[in-house]
Amino acid sequence: MFTAIAVAAALIATPVSSPADPLTTEIGALDAKVFEAYNRCDLPTFSGFFDPKVAFYHDTGGATFERDAMVDGVRKYICGKVKRELIPATFRVYPIKDYGAVEEGEHRFCELATKRCEGVAKFVMVWAKQDGTWRITSVLSYGHRTATPTE
């Protein structure tokens, strides 16, 4: 519950939404690296972006509270089946004073077998910068739905 309150409080902060903003650029580059590893099923690299005690909340899959369990879910349900694509117009970054950043947006999921992108979901990721290294500490993945024809 504390994580949800912290995320909600951070979301009402002033957004850093300019693509030229250094924080937005940095988090955008990290997002690309995280999901490049996810899409290639490079689980050692993917895992390295997450705090060992990451809290991951998924509206249809439930909650996990450790990196290994979350990565195991990716191995079972994503690898070789689905790839993720960020919807760039939805990407936003919000700073968290003396902690890190909140990233939010929407992404679509494409079936590798059919090459059709039929699913869309919203996401929020909380990034912490500790000793110069960024790690994801919390993830909300929600609002999963079928993509509309224009998406």
Side-chain angles (χ1 to χ4, degrees), residues 80-92:
K81 299 174 184 118
V82 177
K83 78 172 188 171
R84 179 259 199 181
E85 295 178 354
L86 176 67
I87 301 172
T90 67
F91 178 76
R92 300 283 184 275

Side-chain angles (χ1 to χ4, degrees), residues 45-128:
T45 298
F46 177 74
S47 175
F49 288 102
F50 294 88
D51 185 91
K53 297 295 182 189
V54 65
F56 186 92
Y57 304 92
H58 191 284
D59 61 352
T60 62
T64 58
F65 301 99
E66 64 176 359
R67 178 176 55 203
D68 292 346
M70 188 257 324
V71 171
D72 191 49
V74 171
R75 179 184 354 272
K76 287 179 187 174
Y77 303 112
I78 300 300
C79 286
K81 299 174 184 118
V82 177
K83 78 172 188 171
R84 179 259 199 181
E85 295 178 354
L86 176 67
I87 301 172
T90 67
F91 178 76
R92 300 283 184 275
V93 174
Y94 305 82
I96 301 174
K97 185 180 182 318
D98 301 325
Y99 185 78
V102 173
E103 172 189 358
E104 71 172 351
E106 292 186 34
H107 43 210
R108 71 182 131 253
F109 294 93
C110 307
E111 298 290 328
L112 295 178
T114 65
K115 299 195 186 321
R116 295 178 64 177
C117 300
E118 298 179 333
V120 174
K122 296 180 180 189
F123 69 92
V124 173
M125 293 193 293
V126 178
W127 291 84

Side-chain angles (χ1 to χ4, degrees), residues 14-30 91-96 100-102 134:
T14 303
V16 176
S17 57
S18 167
D21 175 80
L23 182 62
T24 298
T25 300
E26 187 170 17
I27 297 299
L30 287 166
F91 178 76
R92 300 283 184 275
V93 174
Y94 305 82
I96 301 174
V102 173
W134 287 99

